[in-house]
Amino acid sequence: VYEGDQFVREGNCDAAQAHYKTAYKINKKNGVAAMKAAKCLWQLSYSTEAIEWLNKAIKADAKLIEAYTTLADYYTQRFNFMAAATILAKAKSISPQSFEVYRGYALVEYRRRNYQGAIGFANRALSFYESDIKTLIILSRAHLKNNNYNEAYSAAARAINIDPNDREAQVVFAEAKTGAEGIESG
């Protein structure tokens, strides 16, 4: 797994996924290796195989919430919102107080274009972990879609206060600032 992580940092997902798969074959209980293999496969555009490996990760470690939320993310990118909701419901039954699960629901609703639902789930996720940058970005983007520029600006500002180097947070901050204060300011 460590060698696979090194290849990911170098941008070589092809070699990394091979190392992760080998680590999983050596230890079938290593859900993290299967999940990382799936993420690399997804980046390499092997979406069906990536979903198979995420299912292996869930079977190997049923408490690995990140595997559930990643699988839900991939399903939403394929516009399979029912499958995403089903997998998140399983994750919620395992960890009902997980901010990651609620962030997953927020992402599903955002991609379904139910922005009010996304805002509700994002706020719920933030009630468990208020410093989650990914949730703040989803919240800001949902507010932008609803033309709530001040709320979007507030959420984006919180995200960049937590990590000023996060590119996605900076982009959404600029978009929100443009909506709230005008093009020149953005």
Side-chain angles (χ1 to χ4, degrees), residues 43-125:
Q43 283 188 345
L44 294 168
S45 297
Y46 296 117
S47 59
T48 303
E49 191 177 353
I51 288 171
E52 290 172 12
W53 277 89
L54 280 171
N55 284 318
K56 288 180 183 183
I58 290 168
K59 286 179 185 173
D61 184 358
K63 294 183 179 179
L64 185 61
I65 299 299
E66 186 180 354
Y68 292 94
T69 58
T70 303
L71 183 56
D73 177 16
Y74 292 173
Y75 278 139
T76 63
Q77 290 184 49
R78 295 176 114 193
F79 302 101
N80 191 346
F81 301 113
M82 291 302 294
T86 301
I87 203 71
L88 287 172
K90 288 179 186 176
K92 187 177 176 187
S93 69
I94 293 167
S95 182
Q97 303 296 321
S98 172
F99 74 94
E100 293 170 304
V101 173
Y102 287 101
R103 181 199 322 135
Y105 278 121
L107 183 61
V108 168
E109 293 304 315
Y110 179 79
R111 288 194 176 143
R112 284 182 57 213
R113 295 192 165 112
N114 175 8
Y115 304 120
Q116 278 307 117
I119 291 167
F121 281 119
N123 284 327
R124 178 86 169 142

Side-chain angles (χ1 to χ4, degrees), residues 20 24 30-39 50 53-54 56-58 60:
Y20 294 139
Y24 175 77
N30 192 345
V32 172
M35 180 184 66
K36 288 183 176 190
K39 287 181 177 183
W53 277 89
L54 280 171
K56 288 180 183 183
I58 290 168

Side-chain angles (χ1 to χ4, degrees), residues 132-171:
D132 182 35
I133 293 173
K134 292 178 183 178
T135 302
L136 288 167
I137 290 169
I138 293 168
L139 178 63
S140 182
R141 289 192 188 280
H143 279 304
L144 280 172
K145 293 293 185 180
N146 279 342
N147 297 323
N148 298 331
Y149 298 113
N150 290 330
E151 295 291 329
Y153 179 81
S154 174
R158 285 174 52 197
I160 64 167
N161 282 337
I162 294 166
D163 184 3
N165 296 317
D166 188 290
R167 288 181 186 174
E168 194 174 0
Q170 290 288 347
V171 168

